[in-house]
Amino acid sequence: MPSEFFNTSEVLEAILETIDEGIHVIDPKGQTIFYNRVAANHDGMKRSEVLGKPLLEAFPSLNHKSSTLLRVIKSEKPIYNYSQSYVNAHGRIIETLNTTLPIYVDGFMIGAIEIAKDYSSLKQLSERLADLESSLKTIKSPERKTPANGGLYSFTEILTNDTGFKGLISQGKKAARSSSSVLVYGESGVGKELFVQSIHQDSSRGKEPFIAQNCAALPASLLESLLFGTAKGSYTGAVERQGLFELANGGTLFLDELQSMPIDLQAKLLRVLEDGFIRRIGGTKSVQVDVRIMAAMNIDPKKAVSENRLRADLFYRLNVLSYELPPLRERINDIELLSEHFISIFNSKLGLSIKGMDEKTKVFFRKYHWPGNVRELKHTIEFMMNHTENDVLNLEDLPQFLKKPTPSEKILPLREAMIEMETKLITEALLQTNGNVFQASKLLQIPRQTLQYKIKKHI
């Protein structure tokens, strides 16, 4: 259909309906003039219950102070990444993360737009996990591996023939004698959590909880309430709930991807490290906790400080015991050792009897750069063992993106070659992030929705 038949407002509305985030627009009087399907799903409302109606009539639990849209109309200033909790007209508690902006035309404010991400289900899941951690902590056992810390790794399970890595393990064993904070950094997939679990297991806290939290996995406000807990009434629907600091009391709290924690929340973490007291969100009473903090980063901490992703004072506080774990490509002698170990594991899991790898595959493994490190090696072995028809793994069993074309092969058309390269990069990113689409999209520097589309199309 020719473009002249399209109405601009209809095109704009179609675009806003396609966006995978809630869009809510009000005019200066507070009346809803646009409300997309995603926003309605987030809010648990019908669009007819909101469109054309005053905001406070559609959402009676809100007021001029608690509504970010009405606050922006009044102040004419944007509000970024604000968590909002409210009860909809049907009595359901809604949790969203909002960015709310004033809309200007020719210098006059004509309304406000709110872009909302729903994290009600994510918050409920995180709280259930926290409750599970709490219930497991109450289970007592005289043995080292209790349900509260079962399945953790120890130094005896870290396999290496590398002299430098053996030196790091020796240093880690010494760190186990201390209660000082630990900072471990290195590329994704090198085994940072395995290393800190081993320090915990080897320490006097080994029988106490080891609780891990990825700082990049949750919005800032949800991460804060999960770490520190909540006081009843601190926000709509809030109940008295222990945070991870309290659940880890006596043991270790491991914070992965620390550089993803917002700077203001890093300041609160620093205070806990300094005085050992925490205060629940919305609470007035401080509680003392005995928690050893271990943190991990997948970038050099000095670079994170220079990029303002890590507070300098927090870095110096954590840098007392810091360890840089080397990438697999710098531990050449470990590649075959770990490959044999993973073959043994998957023989047991898959009911196979693979004897090992042929020489060409061993040479390829030693030359390959392993951007996803040990995690990528493990997934590659798993893939090969699921696809091989032989009792020895060979180059034909490799995932397609690892296979290199030989000179005799036909040159692909440019479009096909680009698709192949794109598929390879996406697969490598997913391997490095253990299948986390959001983290993979950050690694590839493309929107999450774009990556999800490409995964469906090519993989």
Side-chain angles (χ1 to χ4, degrees):
M1 183 181 292
S3 59
E4 59 265 22
F5 290 99
F6 288 112
N7 181 286
T8 303
S9 62
E10 290 177 347
V11 172
L12 179 59
E13 184 171 341
I15 292 171
L16 293 176
E17 281 294 345
T18 304
I19 293 173
D20 188 26
E21 289 177 341
I23 307 293
H24 192 165
V25 184
I26 62 171
D27 64 18
K29 295 181 180 180
Q31 185 165 302
T32 297
I33 57 176
F34 183 82
Y35 188 65
N36 74 350
R37 172 185 49 80
V38 176
N41 290 338
H42 286 182
D43 295 337
M45 302 283 284
K46 296 178 181 177
R47 297 176 73 181
S48 59
E49 296 175 311
V50 179
L51 270 172
K53 294 182 170 57
L55 183 72
L56 298 185
E57 180 183 313
F59 300 96
S61 70
L62 292 174
N63 55 46
H64 283 85
K65 289 185 178 180
S66 60
S67 166
T68 48
L69 277 166
L70 294 178
R71 282 166 57 189
V72 167
I73 288 290
K74 183 178 181 180
S75 69
E76 298 190 20
K77 295 180 180 178
I79 298 173
Y80 295 99
N81 296 321
Y82 182 84
S83 61
Q84 190 169 39
S85 177
Y86 54 92
V87 179
N88 70 8
H90 306 295
R92 176 180 153 198
I93 297 175
I94 307 299
E95 310 272 356
T96 57
L97 187 70
N98 304 334
T99 290
T100 313
L101 310 167
I103 304 172
Y104 291 97
V105 173
D106 295 330
F108 294 95
M109 188 184 71
I110 63 165
I113 181 171
E114 186 163 84
I115 303 100
K117 298 178 181 178
D118 175 32
Y119 69 86
S120 302
S121 57
L122 181 60
K123 182 169 185 179
Q124 290 168 8
L125 176 60
S126 67
E127 289 179 347
R128 286 174 188 168
L129 289 172
D131 290 341
L132 179 59
E133 294 271 16
S134 181
S135 64
L136 289 177
K137 188 181 175 186
T138 63
I139 302 173
K140 301 295 182 182
S141 169
E143 300 196 12
R144 191 170 185 80
K145 289 194 174 181
T146 67
N149 68 356
L152 299 185
Y153 289 98
S154 64
F155 283 117
T156 57
E157 295 169 271
I158 300 179
L159 303 179
T160 183
N161 286 323
D162 183 79
T163 304
F165 202 39
K166 285 181 179 179
L168 283 174
I169 292 172
S170 178
Q171 293 176 33
K173 290 178 179 179
K174 293 176 182 177
R177 305 173 196 163
S178 165
S179 283
S180 297
S181 302
V182 171
L183 177 62
V184 179
Y185 60 100
E187 296 177 7
S188 295
V190 295
K192 296 185 291 292
E193 183 165 357
L194 184 154
F195 192 79
V196 297
Q197 283 185 13
S198 299
I199 294 175
H200 169 82
Q201 285 283 69
D202 220 39
S203 74
S204 59
R205 299 171 182 262
K207 294 181 182 179
E208 299 301 326
F210 176 93
I211 296 179
Q213 176 59 49
N214 188 308
C215 298
L218 299 173
S221 55
L222 180 51
L223 177 61
E224 183 177 3
S225 63
L226 187 62
L227 290 174
F228 293 95
T230 56
K232 187 175 181 180
S234 56
Y235 56 83
T236 306
V239 297
E240 288 288 341
R241 186 180 298 277
Q242 287 184 315
L244 298 186
F245 275 105
E246 290 178 78
L247 293 174
N249 195 31
T252 298
L253 178 60
F254 171 53
L255 300 174
D256 198 6
E257 297 197 55
L258 181 66
Q259 77 279 0
S260 297
M261 179 183 286
I263 291 292
D264 57 343
L265 189 51
Q266 290 181 27
K268 295 183 179 181
L269 172 61
L270 180 62
R271 283 201 295 273
V272 178
L273 287 167
E274 295 290 352
D275 60 26
F277 284 89
I278 62 105
R279 182 183 297 174
R280 294 182 184 179
I281 305 301
T284 57
K285 185 176 69 172
S286 294
V287 178
Q288 189 168 22
V289 291
D290 173 25
V291 177
R292 185 178 194 181
I293 300 296
M294 297 191 192
M297 300 173 61
N298 54 21
I299 64 172
D300 189 306
K302 292 181 180 178
K303 180 182 179 184
V305 171
S306 69
E307 294 176 351
N308 200 34
R309 298 169 67 186
L310 179 68
R311 290 177 62 104
D313 47 6
L314 179 58
F315 166 62
Y316 294 126
R317 183 65 178 77
L318 290 171
N319 199 41
V320 178
L321 295 173
S322 65
Y323 307 95
E324 181 181 10
L325 302 192
L328 184 58
R329 62 183 171 274
E330 294 179 9
R331 297 161 47 194
I332 299 296
N333 293 330
D334 284 348
I335 294 174
E336 190 171 337
L337 172 69
L338 291 168
S339 297
E340 291 172 353
H341 172 66
F342 293 138
I343 288 172
S344 176
I345 288 176
F346 291 117
N347 269 336
S348 177
K349 283 186 177 181
L350 303 174
L352 301 173
S353 54
I354 303 299
K355 296 176 182 177
M357 303 182 295
D358 66 16
E359 286 303 315
K360 289 184 179 179
T361 305
K362 291 178 182 179
V363 170
F364 174 83
F365 272 31
R366 290 175 69 88
K367 289 183 177 180
Y368 181 61
H369 64 293
W370 297 109
N373 294 291
V374 179
R375 184 185 294 125
E376 183 183 2
L377 175 63
K378 180 180 180 181
H379 291 168
T380 299
I381 294 292
E382 182 177 10
F383 177 92
M384 294 173 76
M385 292 183 66
N386 272 287
H387 289 81
T388 189
E389 299 290 338
N390 308 299
D391 59 0
V392 174
L393 300 179
N394 60 55
L395 294 176
E396 290 301 313
D397 301 319
L398 287 170
Q400 188 60 42
F401 74 90
L402 286 180
K403 294 179 180 179
K404 295 182 179 180
T406 61
S408 60
E409 286 181 336
K410 181 182 177 182
I411 295 177
L412 291 175
L414 182 60
R415 181 179 177 82
E416 289 183 30
M418 290 175 67
I419 291 173
E420 186 176 298
M421 177 56 71
E422 187 175 78
T423 303
K424 176 182 177 180
L425 291 172
I426 290 172
T427 306
E428 287 190 5
L430 290 170
L431 281 170
Q432 285 195 43
T433 58
N434 209 20
N436 187 310
V437 175
F438 177 69
Q439 291 300 317
S441 68
K442 289 173 65 177
L443 198 62
L444 294 166
Q445 298 184 16
I446 61 175
R448 173 176 54 83
Q449 294 94 332
T450 302
L451 178 57
Q452 287 175 325
Y453 168 77
K454 290 180 181 294
I455 291 172
K456 290 179 181 178
K457 185 177 180 182
H458 299 316
I459 298 179

